[in-house]
Amino acid sequence: MTLPLTVSDEVRALAPGFTHLAIEAHGLVNGPSTEASSALLDDAARRLAGRLDGRAPHEDPHMAAWRAVYTAFGSKPSRTRNSAEALARRALADGGLPRINLLVDLYNAVSVARLVPVGGEDLDRVEGGMRLVRATGQEDFVTVAGGAETVEHPDAGEVVWCDGAGVTCRRWNWRQGPRTRLTEETTSGIFLLESLAPMPVPEVEAAGAELAELLEKFSPGARVEVRAPESAA
């Protein structure tokens, strides 16, 4: 099955330079972080430092473009950062990158090394297709606060990913909901790499190829399909 992914006209108008690349994978093997996945995260931090060459993450042109888009839909980018910038800041801090689980480590490593937002969803938990839309403010976002499940609602006009059951990720790629996240039981996933101009499309394709190679390496025998990037231009 190929999961339908659609981007609304309102989002395309907001960010005409937006491109997303999807990788669908079945037969994955997940589990706790390993020495190998931890080494990938450490290497990603080193690659990031070389890429930035002394600059702060938000000074990178691609991260600056994401900040501009976040501002355009009403979010404060210094408080709610896109996922790649948030990870990059952690990678450069003393504590380093978090170790979550094997699959999340893989896509976080690619995100940090290449400064591109990457997310992963458990296909068995996604209901229907996924859509990138500007929220009405009435949609449900089920999350956890203080150890208890709670329902939030996005701001009107906020860019969100959603499926048939509600919002799966708020503020584009800022906060993923727990319902569809990759767990140690995940065997099928959809991975989304998201970019804005000025990142060239071939650079997004290279990031996708790197992630697909890692998925195949860490889950031998998995069926991994890299879809052609889709541009909003």
Side-chain angles (χ1 to χ4, degrees), residues 26-106:
H26 300 270
L28 295 169
V29 178
N30 202 9
S33 300
T34 65
E35 288 186 9
S37 70
S38 183
L40 282 173
L41 291 170
D42 289 338
D43 182 63
R46 289 189 290 269
R47 291 167 63 187
L48 171 69
R51 182 189 188 102
L52 291 174
D53 192 23
R55 295 174 299 165
H58 70 267
E59 295 176 296
D60 176 85
H62 190 213
M63 297 296 94
W66 276 104
R67 282 193 165 216
V69 166
Y70 269 50
T71 299
F73 67 76
S75 289
K76 295 182 178 179
S78 60
R79 189 172 65 187
T80 54
R81 298 176 176 89
N82 77 80
S83 64
E85 183 184 337
L87 278 174
R89 287 169 58 89
R90 296 190 70 171
L92 298 174
D94 290 340
L97 287 164
R99 276 56 173 166
I100 307 298
N101 59 52
L102 182 59
L103 291 177
V104 175
D105 289 353
L106 299 186

Side-chain angles (χ1 to χ4, degrees), residues 164-200:
V167 173
T168 59
C169 195
R170 286 199 58 188
R171 295 194 175 100
W172 211 312
N173 48 46
W174 167 65
R175 183 196 289 173
Q176 183 186 32
R179 174 171 59 87
T180 58
R181 67 187 174 192
L182 303 179
T183 70
E184 293 183 13
E185 288 71 46
T186 296
T187 58
S188 296
I190 186 86
F191 302 85
L192 286 173
L193 294 81
E194 302 179 297
S195 71
L196 297 169
M199 176 172 275

Side-chain angles (χ1 to χ4, degrees), residues 19-23 51 62 110 114 116-118 192-196 199-213 225-231:
T19 298
H20 71 278
L21 181 151
I23 301 172
R51 182 189 188 102
H62 190 213
V110 172
R114 295 183 177 270
V116 58
V118 184
L192 286 173
L193 294 81
E194 302 179 297
S195 71
L196 297 169
M199 176 172 275
V201 172
E203 195 168 334
V204 184
E205 292 176 314
E210 180 178 356
L211 179 54
E213 183 178 336
E225 174 197 356
V226 182
R227 302 191 201 173
E230 297 185 24
S231 174

